[in-house]
Amino acid sequence: MASSLTKDSVRPGTPGSEKTFFGHPRGLATLFMTEMWERFSYYGMRALLPLYLVAPGGLHLNAATATAIYSVYVSLVYLLALPGGWFADRVLGPRKTVAVAGFVIMLGHLTLALPTAGTFFAGLGLVAIGSGLLKANISTMVGHLYDGPDDPRRDGGFTLFYIGINLGAFAAPLVIGTVGESVNWHLGFALAALGMALGLGQFLLGGRHLSSQSEIVPTPLSAEEKKSTLTKAALWAGLAVVFYAIVGFSGVYTLNWLLVPITLAGLIIPILVIARIKRDKELDHADQSKMTAYIWFFVAAAVFWMIYDQGGSTVSLFADSSAKNTILGWNFPVSWYQSVNPVMIMALAPVFAWAWLALARSGKEPSTAVKFAMGLVLIGASFFLFLAPLGIADGGHKAAALWLVAIYFVQTVGELTLSPVGLSVTTKMAPAKYASQMMGVWFLAVTAGDATTGLLSIAGVDLNKTGIVALEAVLAVVAGLAVWMYRGKVKELMGDVR
């Protein structure tokens, strides 16, 4: 997206105040382009990942193992957003943390580009660590560009930033996916590294336009805390090295020795984090009530993401093996399906924003609980729709591409009723003491959902079978109906939040 820089009057003290980016602080252009290229690299690699895992020219794994690895990887990215935010708050500050994150992500993609199976999982780990560091902090830096939460340009700035995310996500499968599938898998991963390098270069060159607030470490560790943290980190790292060395040399090591602990962590840590907040005796009755209501939204979101993120694994692997990936006789790479969601997001998000506003003006806007119920029913409906191409494939035929496009369309509509609303309600319901941590808690819902998918795959459940797809669809619809039936109770627990 070409930046539109014009002379404009902005508040004194805004970094780069002599120019604007579509009427917003010039630093937004830097963060917009950084995030666009980072998402280009992330979603391009993610579109290739399950296909590479099952391909004869890739790792040639079975579909269940590929789905498990994909799900564990995605859950790890969101799980690491929590320590990523902590690292910026206590050690480096957002700006330096994002720079480090960009370098780590680029290094991870370069490692994936090496044509050896041994380095593949190390590359995935590096990308996950870097993505966790970046995801937690770049949005914070967007907020730093504005004059507090009441700056009238703030919501518009985040909307532009969101467009950058989806532009990168849309272009990535078309470019990286095509090269990876049609030319060479590792060249595709190398293109992802190039994308991150462009984003990192943009960030470093445009850093002078960012707010000086982004360089501040809000609550730096004391010398004693640094020593304690490093000691604990070294102890846990040492235990892990010793444990896996014993397992490896004993000859019993399999991939599950790595996948199972990460998957269990993805389920246990979200529960522990929410339980810790709920047990905090410093929270008053109103905050405790809001947290009880938030648990409803968290569980609903976990069920939603469990199914939604299978669009990149279960549905993609089905397309690879059982779909006619042609439109009007024109063949296209399987990874291109991953561009359907971001282009639909860009097309439909303004429509939803207008619709909610119009309904609000007439006093008919659905409550947060009702919107969540709608999202769950829609994500369930997408898997009921998935039963049709599965039935066609069971009959020995290839399913038409438009069946899969329809699935992604329904999932996108569901996402727009739940995801932005979830982000908003998280900021509104967060106790003041946990204001900066609650966004990380919201991301843990994605972790829990993907960890559940990973655990099912590790257990050998074939997620491309009609029975399990129908079961997941029913689960989502029942969860949606439960949220709708108890919407009055949830609204009461939310107190003054609407």
Side-chain angles (χ1 to χ4, degrees):
M1 186 173 187
S3 58
S4 173
L5 300 175
T6 57
K7 297 279 184 183
D8 206 357
S9 59
V10 295
R11 68 181 181 90
T14 299
S17 59
E18 74 283 354
K19 292 181 178 180
T20 67
F21 177 69
F22 292 104
H24 292 269
R26 173 63 179 82
L28 184 61
T30 296
L31 298 176
F32 176 99
M33 296 297 290
T34 302
E35 180 73 347
M36 185 187 76
W37 283 115
E38 187 273 330
R39 293 290 89 181
F40 175 86
S41 72
Y42 174 76
Y43 282 105
M45 186 277 283
R46 214 172 91 160
L48 283 183
L49 180 56
L51 304 175
Y52 172 76
L53 291 171
V54 300
L59 296 188
H60 206 191
L61 303 172
N62 61 52
T65 304
T67 300
I69 292 170
Y70 178 92
S71 301
V72 168
Y73 165 71
V74 175
S75 72
L76 193 58
V77 167
Y78 287 91
L79 180 64
L80 291 172
L82 207 59
W86 176 90
F87 189 77
D89 285 345
R90 306 300 309 272
V91 183
L92 279 187
R95 183 169 169 180
K96 288 181 181 177
T97 300
V98 167
V100 170
F103 178 78
V104 172
I105 292 169
M106 183 178 67
L107 183 62
H109 288 303
L110 287 172
T111 305
L112 290 171
L114 298 174
T116 60
T119 58
F120 181 79
F121 293 102
L124 275 185
L126 287 170
V127 176
I129 291 168
S131 298
L133 287 170
L134 187 140
K135 190 170 188 66
N137 295 296
I138 195 164
S139 296
T140 301
M141 295 176 68
V142 174
H144 289 165
L145 296 171
Y146 297 95
D147 189 15
D150 296 326
D151 189 321
R153 301 169 299 167
R154 186 182 179 94
D155 285 353
F158 274 98
T159 301
L160 276 174
F161 183 70
Y162 195 60
I163 290 172
I165 292 172
N166 284 285
L167 277 175
F170 167 69
L174 304 181
V175 179
I176 295 173
T178 301
V179 171
E181 286 189 68
S182 306
V183 183
N184 180 275
W185 295 108
H186 297 286
L187 185 57
F189 294 133
L191 276 180
L194 176 61
M196 190 64 254
L198 291 171
L200 181 59
Q202 165 74 20
F203 182 77
L204 296 175
L205 290 172
R208 66 186 184 278
H209 299 295
L210 301 175
S211 169
S212 58
Q213 187 180 352
S214 296
E215 299 181 41
I216 297 171
V217 181
T219 53
L221 292 171
S222 65
E224 185 179 333
E225 286 175 319
K226 282 182 183 177
K227 182 179 178 181
S228 173
T229 301
L230 287 171
T231 301
K232 289 177 182 176
L235 177 62
W236 282 106
L239 287 173
V241 169
V242 170
F243 175 78
Y244 282 103
I246 293 171
V247 172
F249 285 120
S250 66
V252 298
Y253 178 81
T254 65
L255 191 57
N256 283 350
W257 283 94
L258 182 63
L259 296 180
V260 171
I262 296 174
T263 305
L264 291 176
L267 289 171
I268 294 168
I269 290 175
I271 295 170
L272 293 178
V273 169
I274 292 179
R276 179 174 62 86
I277 296 174
K278 275 292 294 175
R279 288 199 310 267
D280 191 336
K281 298 190 186 311
E282 292 183 15
L283 299 184
D284 60 22
H285 176 74
D287 280 336
Q288 286 285 359
S289 179
K290 289 173 185 176
M291 283 305 302
T292 301
Y294 190 76
I295 291 172
W296 278 83
F297 297 128
F298 184 92
V299 174
V303 173
F304 178 90
W305 295 117
M306 178 186 72
I307 296 176
Y308 178 91
D309 276 346
Q310 288 184 59
S313 56
T314 305
V315 180
S316 183
L317 290 172
F318 173 84
D320 186 42
S321 63
S322 305
K324 291 186 290 189
N325 303 310
T326 61
I327 292 180
L328 301 175
W330 173 65
N331 291 291
F332 59 88
V334 174
S335 54
W336 282 25
Y337 284 111
Q338 302 309 308
S339 288
V340 174
N341 170 260
V343 75
M344 287 181 175
I345 287 285
M346 289 187 285
L348 295 176
V351 176
F352 270 77
W354 171 83
W356 296 143
L357 190 59
L359 288 169
R361 284 172 179 162
S362 61
K364 296 178 180 178
E365 183 183 9
S367 67
T368 299
V370 171
K371 289 176 182 176
F372 264 70
M374 291 166 61
L376 284 166
V377 170
L378 284 165
I379 202 68
S382 76
F383 261 34
F384 277 125
L385 189 60
F386 190 20
L387 294 175
L390 283 171
I392 293 169
D394 285 343
H397 304 285
K398 294 274 189 178
L402 288 179
W403 279 114
L404 304 186
V405 173
I407 292 169
Y408 288 118
F409 172 77
V410 175
Q411 290 189 343
T412 300
V413 176
E415 179 187 1
L416 287 169
T417 64
L418 183 142
S419 184
V421 178
L423 289 168
S424 176
V425 80
T426 297
T427 60
K428 291 176 183 176
M429 293 175 67
K433 181 178 179 180
Y434 295 100
S436 62
Q437 296 179 41
M438 282 299 288
M439 198 55 70
V441 173
W442 170 251
F443 289 143
L444 288 179
V446 185
T447 296
D450 281 302
T452 303
T453 302
L455 202 59
L456 289 171
S457 299
I458 291 168
V461 176
D462 187 348
L463 296 174
N464 258 318
K465 291 296 184 184
T466 301
I468 190 67
V469 169
L471 186 62
E472 290 183 84
V474 170
L475 171 65
V477 171
V478 169
L481 291 175
V483 172
W484 182 80
M485 288 174 62
Y486 286 91
R487 65 193 183 280
K489 177 65 174 176
V490 174
K491 186 176 180 180
E492 181 184 332
L493 289 168
M494 290 170 69
D496 57 355
V497 175
R498 292 291 176 266

